[in-house]
């Protein structure tokens, strides 16, 4: 058995621990800006609409293009993204998202050429964009729009700021990601929420949609003043009692009866 360098092992272990802690912190940060309890409907509607647009694009090319497989696959890829892009913008607008005015990233002179939608919750803003991944958890292709968007995430990367002159946290850029299924035409293999660092080198946060929706922490839907029944949790799940009491049939004698009988 080869000898183990304890120093290198501890260094590697420490790095893994740090990455895990950073990942947990970044997850909490993203879910504070993009809370499931507030945007659950948006996320679900986006998932449904985008899957539908992908299938529609496939059937359109398959039924009406008359192209061979290679040409049809290339045209379907272009059609799929543009149709999903349009659906993305429409769903975001229905849920209160605003298309960037003039396509300019707030607080900068960077321009985007794709629909980037801005949302705000309790004074904290975020910009939501759409991007296709080559496969799950892989960075999407870098283009001018996405590169401009992720510049907002500069302050989320560890760095030194001795004089306080670097850009401060305002909006952040979150991407709604999807990867097509290479084995099933017209299908989406995975959808996820991702946050890319400002250098466009790695994900600061990445989580599948189902995981994102399931892990909503202690947040719950705001209760309407007109509703009298108590509101359920954001996930709609029923919370069970921690302690279970055994069922006692009504015909069984009570404790007091038993004590009276003994007396």
């Amino acid at each position: 058995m080869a000898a183990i360098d304890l120093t290198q092992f501890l260094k590697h272990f420490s790095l893994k621990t740090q990455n895990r802690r950073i990942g947990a912190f970044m997850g909490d940060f993203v879910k504070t800006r993009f809370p499931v309890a507030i945007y659950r409907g948006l996320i679900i509607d986006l998932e449904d609409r985008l899957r539908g647009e992908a299938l529609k694009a496939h059937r359109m090319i398959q039924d009406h293009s008359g192209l061979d497989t290679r040409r049809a696959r290339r045209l379907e890829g272009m059609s799929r993204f543009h149709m999903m892009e349009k659906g993305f913008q429409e769903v975001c607008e229905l849920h209160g998202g605003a298309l960037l005015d003039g396509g300019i990233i707030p607080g900068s002179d960077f321009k985007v050429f794709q629909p980037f939608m801005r949302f705000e919750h309790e004074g904290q803003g975020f910009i939501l964009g759409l991007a296709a991944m080559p496969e799950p958890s892989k960075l999407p292709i870098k283009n001018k729009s996405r590169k401009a968007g992720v510049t907002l995430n500069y302050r989320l990367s560890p760095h030194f700021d001795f004089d306080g002159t670097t850009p401060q946290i305002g909006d952040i850029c979150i991407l709604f990601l999807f990867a097509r299924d290479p084995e099933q035409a017209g299908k989406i293999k995975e959808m996820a929420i991702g946050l890319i660092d400002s250098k466009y080198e790695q994900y600061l946060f990445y989580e599948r949609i189902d995981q994102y929706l399931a892990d909503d922490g202690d947040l719950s839907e705001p209760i309407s003043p007109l509703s009298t029944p108590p509101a359920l949790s954001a996930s709609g799940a029923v919370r069970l009692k921690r302690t279970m009491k055994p069922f006692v049939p009504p015909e069984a004698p009570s404790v007091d009866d038993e004590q009276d009988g003994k007396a």
Side-chain angles (χ1 to χ4, degrees), residues 23-53:
F25 168 79
M26 205 56 68
D28 292 340
F29 178 81
V30 172
K31 291 177 182 180
T32 299
R33 291 294 186 97
F34 190 30
V36 175
I38 303 299
Y39 295 106
R40 175 180 294 276
L42 167 65
I43 296 171
I44 293 175
D45 287 351
L46 280 175
E47 182 178 15
D48 290 345
R49 178 69 180 270
L50 297 181
R51 289 187 186 277
E53 294 294 345

Side-chain angles (χ1 to χ4, degrees), residues 52-235:
E53 294 294 345
L55 184 58
K56 189 198 303 184
H58 168 67
R59 289 176 175 172
M60 179 183 71
I61 301 302
Q62 182 185 49
D63 297 342
H64 303 290
S65 68
L67 297 173
D68 57 68
T69 303
R70 181 176 62 84
R71 292 186 175 93
R73 186 181 298 115
R74 181 180 300 175
L75 183 58
E76 180 182 334
M78 295 176 61
S79 302
R80 177 177 57 242
F81 187 81
H82 288 301
M83 293 169 69
M84 293 175 74
E85 194 176 52
K86 180 175 181 290
F88 170 82
Q89 179 177 343
E90 292 177 350
V91 170
C92 287
E93 288 175 340
L94 286 174
H95 285 268
L99 190 66
L100 293 184
D101 187 20
I104 301 296
I105 296 290
S108 74
D109 56 357
F110 293 113
K111 187 176 179 63
V112 297
F113 302 92
Q114 293 174 224
F116 276 61
M117 311 300 296
R118 188 180 188 278
F119 294 83
E120 186 172 317
H121 171 62
E122 295 183 349
Q124 298 293 325
F126 68 91
I127 293 173
L128 189 64
L130 179 69
M133 303 176 285
E135 58 184 274
S137 76
K138 297 295 184 182
L139 287 177
I141 295 173
K142 186 191 302 185
N143 61 22
K144 290 184 178 180
S145 294
R146 293 173 198 144
K147 187 66 177 71
V150 301
T151 56
L152 293 174
N153 300 334
Y154 173 75
R155 288 281 298 182
L156 303 181
S157 302
H159 65 281
F160 293 108
D161 178 22
F162 294 114
D163 56 6
T165 59
T166 58
Q168 301 300 307
I169 294 178
D171 288 354
I172 62 173
C173 181
I174 302 173
L175 291 178
F176 199 96
L177 303 154
F178 70 91
R180 71 177 185 88
D181 191 331
E183 299 179 358
Q184 301 183 73
K187 300 291 185 180
I188 299 298
K189 185 174 184 179
E190 183 167 305
M191 288 188 175
I193 300 295
L195 187 76
I196 301 177
D197 73 304
S198 60
K199 295 182 179 179
Y200 215 98
E201 294 177 347
Q202 62 180 337
Y203 282 113
L204 297 173
F205 172 80
Y206 180 94
E207 195 165 273
R208 293 198 321 265
I209 291 297
D210 56 340
Q211 295 175 327
Y212 198 86
L213 289 173
D215 184 19
D216 57 359
D218 296 327
L219 297 176
S220 58
E221 293 283 359
I223 301 175
S224 170
L226 300 179
S227 61
T228 51
L232 292 175
S233 63
S235 61

